[in-house]
Amino acid sequence: DLIRDDRIPGELNKRLRLPAFEPGIVLEGGAIEVNGAGTVLTTEQCLLNRNRNPHLRRAEIEDYLREYLNVENVLWLGEGIAGDDTDGHIDDIARFVSEDTVLCAHEDDSAEENHNILKEGFERLIGFGLNVVKLPMPGYIGDRHARLPASYANFYIGNSAVVVPIFDHANDRRALDIIQECFPSRRVVGVRANAMVHGLGTIHCCSQQEPRIE
């Protein structure tokens, strides 16, 4: 089924009649985050993983990103959150809300396994000279067998709304308020994602933006 999924972009392209190009490398949508002004964020855990493009070195991957995303700056974070089966997708940890401002998932509880991972990512973002807004985490979501990759950062940005996964956690309201402050011209809507996250992803993972061609 996953192999057949690869045909979907081509079928959509036929119907929409848009220009298309294929870089010929493994690069999922959730692995990159762009600001629309020449900068892309990604993680070393994901794009440098040997299960993606083992024939490419870091510099070569950066060349692909610059060529196919029309960016100049490639900014690398380290790891993604615990429970993430995608080897550290960026869309669970850091999202641009403007050209120079990033919402960054942050775990306040030092006993949580995500604490050090997200603290290191936050510090890297600060070091890049970006404005960084901390976004809380929903704590441990899962059962005694496995942790699930729950994060408020996995939101979808639409034309007039931002759809945010929520998890019946005390931080839900706080996260929605923070995101709303970052998108004053859009309505921020929380969608309960406790069941969805069992598929190992939430709102951003199951959607794809359609850019306007000008």
Side-chain angles (χ1 to χ4, degrees), residues 5-172:
D5 285 348
D6 288 343
R7 297 204 298 265
I8 293 175
E11 291 301 320
L12 286 174
N13 177 254
K14 289 178 184 177
R15 298 186 185 193
L16 297 173
R17 298 178 181 178
L18 297 173
F21 50 86
E22 297 181 14
I25 63 172
V26 177
L27 180 65
E28 315 94 278
I32 53 173
E33 174 72 9
V34 296
N35 71 345
T39 296
V40 60
L41 277 172
T42 188
T43 71
E44 295 164 343
Q45 182 188 8
C46 182
L47 286 198
L48 299 186
N49 196 305
R50 303 301 293 174
N51 65 10
R52 294 299 197 286
N53 302 287
H55 60 293
L56 297 177
R57 297 188 300 272
R58 180 183 182 126
E60 293 171 316
I61 291 173
E62 291 185 352
D63 287 342
Y64 270 98
L65 295 175
R66 292 189 178 100
E67 178 68 19
Y68 285 91
L69 299 178
N70 193 29
V71 298
E72 298 175 358
N73 306 310
V74 182
L75 306 181
W76 296 85
L77 298 188
E79 298 180 41
I81 60 174
D84 181 6
D85 70 324
T86 65
D87 307 306
H89 270 189
I90 193 73
D91 64 355
D92 275 330
I93 57 176
R95 304 290 306 282
F96 278 111
V97 297
S98 73
E99 292 183 8
D100 59 358
T101 300
V102 178
L103 270 170
C104 175
H106 190 272
E107 178 54 68
D108 296 328
D109 185 353
S110 61
E112 266 280 340
E113 60 183 321
N114 280 318
H115 175 77
N116 288 338
I117 293 170
L118 296 177
K119 181 175 181 290
E120 197 263 352
F122 173 80
E123 291 171 349
R124 285 201 194 190
L125 290 169
I126 292 292
F128 296 146
L130 296 167
N131 300 318
V132 187
V133 179
K134 290 182 180 179
L135 186 66
M137 288 287 283
Y140 188 98
I141 304 293
D143 55 30
R144 62 187 180 87
H145 300 293
R147 182 177 194 137
L148 298 171
S151 169
Y152 300 117
N154 202 254
F155 54 78
Y156 171 79
I157 306 170
N159 291 339
S160 59
V162 180
V163 185
V164 183
I166 55 176
F167 305 94
D168 294 327
H169 189 275
N171 280 337
D172 286 0

Side-chain angles (χ1 to χ4, degrees), residues 175-197:
L176 291 173
D177 288 344
I178 290 171
I179 295 171
Q180 183 65 81
E181 289 182 11
C182 292
F183 292 97
S185 64
R186 290 177 171 88
R187 180 187 176 200
V188 171
V189 180
V191 172
R192 191 172 184 270
N194 298 60
M196 186 183 296
V197 76

